[in-house]
């Protein structure tokens, strides 16, 4: 059915092909979000950093952890993550700096208290042969003038307005600065929260730009500016639809579901296989970011690592501990990551 749907769109010109992939796009990713969450979970819920709870956290604990995790998007914290990976020969080709390196989500201004020299840090990663992606929170209006936003009935900004010419020009300028040689010189974006576009009859914004068309226009604005600034810039997004083939280079399989509707745990590798089956049918020529967060426990995480190379580009989210279970990650575990990545690279050679 998915193939038939894609074929129908393609026959009518609505399933654009992706760009040719740069070699470095295939490299294993390290995304700091899971490691940030693990530090937050230990600070909030695990007084003994060597203790394991052996059970998933409650919904309330999950919420508290996610709220605290952005505080660990810091230069010295990421240096510590990478130092531990280096000690075990885990060498990511691409690093994703996750939520939140920004002083304001909407503006892309660097939080210099957390990242006193982000440009210098990116330069150092480039010197080490690595690329750097910046996490981008789509639709967030923080720091954006109200007139460039979709607003509610009392005039308060709800999201940015993807159809507003002023906002699109602003966003393109932000992208050029973040990727350009006179700015941060980053290598692309992990674009998150595309599902949070505006909806509701009481909202007001640019006429004729709404729904999935607004999502595409938002990503198109980012993609155009990114590629004009850095032709091999990588855009990672969870835009699993044939019509988004031109604005997304690598499709994310997204966050792992922790429990089903009956509150029972869902095997993580089963989800990886199922989501790959969907994404590879809808966007068969795109690279796939296998993602890795959240993991229920260390054993599930290790199983996920072993499975990732069969389904796409390996993505590592954990370095020190598992956020849900509180289990510490051992040196032998990271050795297993290194071995998995070596096999993945050898298979591609």
């Amino acid at each position: 059915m998915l193939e038939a749907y894609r074929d129908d769109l393609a026959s009518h010109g609505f399933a654009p092909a992706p760009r040719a992939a740069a070699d470095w796009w295939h490299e294993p990713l390290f995304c700091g979000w899971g490691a940030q969450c693990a530090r937050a979970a230990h600070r909030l819920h695990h007084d003994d950093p060597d203790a394991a709870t052996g059970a998933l956290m409650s919904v309330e604990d999950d919420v508290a952890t996610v709220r605290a995790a952005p505080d660990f998007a810091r230069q010295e914290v990421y240096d510590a993550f990478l130092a531990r990976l280096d000690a075990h020969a885990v060498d990511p080709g691409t690093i994703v700096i996750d939520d939140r390196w920004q002083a304001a989500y909407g503006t892309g201004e660097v939080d210099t208290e957390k990242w006193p020299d982000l440009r210098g840090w990116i330069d150092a990663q480039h010197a080490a042969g690595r690329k750097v992606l910046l996490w981008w929170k789509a639709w967030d209006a923080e720091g954006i003038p109200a007139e460039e936003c979709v607003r509610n009935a009392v005039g308060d900004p709800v999201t940015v307005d993807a159809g507003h010419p002023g906002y699109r020009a602003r966003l393109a300028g932000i992208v050029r600065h973040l990727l350009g040689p006179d700015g941060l010189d980053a290598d692309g974006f992990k674009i998150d929260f595309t599902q949070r576009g505006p909806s509701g009859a009481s909202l007001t914004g640019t006429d004729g730009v709404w729904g999935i068309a607004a999502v595409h226009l938002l990503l198109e604005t980012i993609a155009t500016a990114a590629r004009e600034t850095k032709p091999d810039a990588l855009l990672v997004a969870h835009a699993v639809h044939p019509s988004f083939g031109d604005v997304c280079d690598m499709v994310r399989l997204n966050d792992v579901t922790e429990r089903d509707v009956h509150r029972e745990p869902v095997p993580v590798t089963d989800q990886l296989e199922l989501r790959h089956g969907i994404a590879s049918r809808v966007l068969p020529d795109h690279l796939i970011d296998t993602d890795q967060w959240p993991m229920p426990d260390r054993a599930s995480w290790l199983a996920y690592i072993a499975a990732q190379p069969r389904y796409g580009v390996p993505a590592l989210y954990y370095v020190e501990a598992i956020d849900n279970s509180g289990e510490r990650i051992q040196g032998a575990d990271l050795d297993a990551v290194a071995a998995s990545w070596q096999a993945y690279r050898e298979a591609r050679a």
Side-chain angles (χ1 to χ4, degrees), residues 102-344:
Q102 308 101 317
Y105 284 127
T107 66
E109 180 184 357
V110 177
D111 184 337
T112 55
E113 189 274 324
K114 292 180 177 178
W115 292 89
D117 184 13
L118 183 51
R119 170 59 191 263
W121 194 88
I122 292 173
D123 287 345
Q125 299 309 314
H126 287 166
R130 293 167 172 165
K131 303 290 188 177
V132 178
L133 304 185
L134 300 173
W135 178 83
W136 184 260
K137 188 179 182 185
W139 296 110
D140 200 295
E142 185 180 26
I144 303 301
E147 60 269 20
E148 297 176 12
C149 297
V150 173
R151 286 165 280 179
N152 61 21
V154 296
D156 296 328
V158 175
T159 71
V160 296
D161 185 349
H164 193 287
Y167 175 67
R168 291 204 308 276
R170 180 186 301 275
L171 179 58
I174 292 169
V175 169
R176 286 192 290 267
H177 171 74
L178 296 178
L179 303 190
D182 296 328
L184 294 185
D185 200 27
D187 301 289
F189 298 100
K190 170 187 173 182
I191 305 170
D192 209 349
F193 292 110
T194 48
Q195 78 278 13
R196 291 193 177 180
S199 64
S202 65
L203 303 183
T204 58
T206 301
D207 290 340
V209 181
W210 206 249
I212 193 170
V215 180
H216 191 279
L217 184 56
L218 185 74
L219 293 181
E220 182 183 25
T221 303
I222 296 173
T224 299
R227 293 162 183 173
E228 289 174 351
T229 305
K230 186 168 284 190
D232 67 342
L234 174 58
L235 303 175
V236 183
H238 37 54
V240 190
H241 189 282
S243 295
F244 284 74
D246 57 340
V247 294
C248 173
D249 300 313
M250 181 186 292
V251 61
R252 289 183 57 200
L253 296 188
N254 216 345
D255 298 345
V256 177
T257 299
E258 297 180 72
R259 296 180 185 272
D260 63 19
V261 294
H262 304 293
R263 299 296 297 159
E264 294 298 322
V266 183
V268 295
T269 53
D270 290 357
Q271 295 181 59
L272 176 60
E273 181 179 6
L274 175 64
R275 293 182 183 192
H276 173 270
I278 295 170
S280 61
R281 286 166 173 80
V282 173
L283 295 169
D285 299 317
H286 279 67
L287 293 177
I288 291 178
D289 171 1
T290 52
D291 265 300
Q292 201 189 74
W293 180 85
M295 291 285 112
D297 51 54
R298 176 173 161 268
S300 298
W301 172 69
L302 288 169
Y304 200 92
I305 286 168
Q308 283 176 306
R310 299 198 299 271
Y311 298 110
V313 178
L316 178 68
Y317 274 62
Y318 293 97
V319 177
E320 300 165 330
I322 304 299
D323 44 3
N324 266 312
S325 66
E327 295 167 284
R328 300 296 293 179
I329 290 172
Q330 306 301 318
D333 302 332
L334 295 177
D335 293 341
V337 176
S340 176
W341 285 10
Q342 180 179 355
Y344 166 80

Side-chain angles (χ1 to χ4, degrees), residues 32-46 49 57 65-66 69 72 81 293 317-329:
W33 177 247
Q36 292 174 220
C37 287
R39 284 209 173 190
H42 279 285
R43 184 172 72 182
L44 294 168
H45 311 299
H46 305 297
M57 292 189 292
T65 295
V66 169
F72 292 99
F81 292 158
W293 180 85
Y317 274 62
Y318 293 97
V319 177
E320 300 165 330
I322 304 299
D323 44 3
N324 266 312
S325 66
E327 295 167 284
R328 300 296 293 179
I329 290 172

